[in-house]
Amino acid sequence: MRAGQGAAAHAGRAPEQVKDLSDVPSFPAIYAAALDPRSRLGGKRGKGGKGGAGGGAETLPNIAYRVRKVRIDAERARDFDHLMGGPATDLVHPGVLHVLAFPVSLALMARRDFPFPLLGLVHLRNQVLQHRPVKVGDLVDVECRVRDLRPHRKGRTFEAVSTILGEDGEIIATDVSTYLVKGGKPAAAEPSGTAPSSAASAGAVPSSVASSAESAGATGANASTSVGGRSRRDFEPPQPTGRWVLGADTGRRYGAVSGDVNPIHLSAVTAKAFGFPSAIAHGMYTASRAFTEARVDLSKPLRWDVTFDAPVTLPGSVLVAFEDDPSAGTARCVGWKPARGEKGPRRCFEVEVTTLGR
């Protein structure tokens, strides 16, 4: 698959602009920009109308950010593997690819013409489609764009798409993050939890901020029990196969490796400044740890699907259950908070990894 395929899917739109960045943006600079009051002037955000989920005909910017020749850092890849509880290998964990592209995607969403405040998005789902293995030390290009703004019964959703390309323009992996902009008039035509578009599932290149609904991202607003499209009452927990005990420093440790120093993940003090009673784990930390513990064969193409449902508070613990289906080539993990008092069990996240081309 080559770069540029799928660009014609957005017929009727002006040609997409591509802005080349000299380097991967820094997280502190992005969060500083997001906190700038000028970046939250709702009536002046976007080209199609007022900002926010209820403000008219919002339009996503028709621009992609690109960073060329980004090297997969061996030290970061090693530290990421170890943080997730696995051995360091020459093959790169797809979570490293997400971390590599995430600041480029956030920088795009921190633009003054982006129609929604960055600090307010809820990460509902994530999907990585990886076509071939990536090795430590490889040089890749990173392209990020946003697409598919649509109504949702809790506001609006859109996709942030990051594409990892080889030096010859070959698409190595596509990372699709689905975000919810909460608020505004509910849209009955769009059920909560709508699946990613077929183009995303196919990994086509189109013409995270929030960290997750599971961690409410950089939102400052927690996800509701059904924000991911599934009611808490419907959850019947399976027999647990393990328990993760997460220390208060979990967010700081992930931040040190990933670079994502969002205050809501670092400590109770910094989280409270943004309206959280305690720090919460990065959503992609829980997703990446589940991926590692599923013992996926990184030498083969794969699809990694994640759905976030509820925060994982720090310090704290979460029950997990892993289930393999060798005939389908899938490994599945669900993580949840056990019942406590009158509160029933609550699903926090669900991860499924499918090995392709077996």
Side-chain angles (χ1 to χ4, degrees):
M1 191 175 297
R2 300 284 169 179
Q5 293 177 337
H10 296 274
R13 296 185 67 182
E16 180 187 70
Q17 301 178 42
V18 178
K19 180 177 180 179
D20 284 300
L21 308 183
S22 60
D23 202 354
V24 175
S26 72
F27 279 105
I30 295 167
Y31 289 135
L35 289 169
D36 184 340
R38 293 174 297 176
S39 72
R40 302 197 300 277
L41 297 177
K44 297 183 180 179
R45 293 181 68 87
K47 299 180 181 178
K50 295 181 180 181
E58 300 92 346
T59 303
L60 297 175
N62 190 24
I63 187 170
Y65 277 10
R66 178 171 61 195
V67 185
R68 295 187 181 275
K69 296 186 181 301
V70 182
R71 190 172 298 279
I72 307 294
D73 183 71
E75 183 176 349
R76 169 185 265 185
R78 178 202 65 200
D79 291 347
F80 194 95
D81 284 337
H82 289 167
L83 181 63
M84 299 308 153
T89 72
D90 290 337
L91 299 181
V92 176
H93 190 302
V96 173
L97 301 181
H98 177 87
V99 164
L100 187 71
F102 191 44
V104 183
S105 180
L106 291 191
L108 176 58
M109 291 187 282
R111 287 172 55 94
R112 293 285 299 279
D113 62 350
F114 192 75
F116 311 115
L118 180 65
L119 303 183
L121 304 177
V122 180
H123 192 176
L124 297 182
R125 296 179 295 273
N126 212 84
Q127 181 187 84
V128 174
L129 182 63
Q130 187 170 321
H131 301 288
R132 69 165 175 83
V134 181
K135 293 186 177 181
V136 169
D138 281 356
L139 282 173
V140 298
D141 292 348
V142 179
E143 292 184 4
C144 296
R145 41 179 60 80
V146 289
R147 70 179 187 195
D148 200 23
L149 179 63
R150 61 173 62 191
H152 184 283
R153 70 184 185 86
K154 290 184 175 293
R156 302 287 180 89
T157 61
F158 68 92
E159 294 176 343
V161 183
S162 300
T163 309
I164 309 297
L165 304 106
E167 294 183 89
D168 61 353
E170 174 198 12
I171 298 175
I172 298 172
T174 306
D175 182 319
V176 181
S177 299
T178 303
Y179 292 104
L180 169 69
V181 186
K182 297 181 71 176
K185 184 178 179 180
E190 176 67 12
S192 179
T194 297
S197 69
S198 59
S201 300
V205 176
S207 71
S208 200
V209 79
S211 192
S212 65
E214 182 250 336
S215 67
T219 64
N222 214 342
S224 74
T225 57
S226 60
V227 73
R230 303 179 298 189
S231 169
R232 187 195 307 185
R233 292 188 298 271
D234 294 338
F235 178 58
E236 294 291 340
Q239 184 68 28
T241 58
R243 179 190 295 268
W244 295 351
V245 179
L246 306 179
D249 64 344
T250 299
R252 295 190 293 275
R253 293 172 62 206
Y254 183 81
V257 173
S258 68
D260 186 355
V261 291
N262 186 332
I264 67 172
H265 303 303
L266 303 183
S267 71
V269 173
T270 57
K272 286 177 181 177
F274 290 86
F276 289 83
S278 63
I280 52 182
H282 292 79
M284 292 305 290
Y285 165 80
T286 58
S288 297
R289 179 167 172 176
F291 183 98
T292 294
E293 294 191 11
R295 300 180 180 180
V296 179
D297 184 353
L298 288 173
S299 69
K300 297 180 179 179
L302 60 89
R303 190 180 71 236
W304 177 26
D305 293 287
V306 186
T307 302
F308 300 113
D309 290 284
V312 175
T313 54
L314 301 173
S317 63
V318 59
L319 295 175
V320 293
F322 285 84
E323 181 181 3
D324 295 335
D325 184 349
S327 64
T330 61
R332 181 174 175 268
C333 171
V334 60
W336 71 95
K337 295 178 180 179
R340 177 178 297 179
E342 296 182 355
K343 294 183 178 180
R346 187 176 186 185
R347 178 173 42 213
C348 297
F349 58 89
E350 190 168 342
V351 176
E352 184 171 279
V353 184
T354 304
T355 300
L356 306 174
R358 295 179 298 130

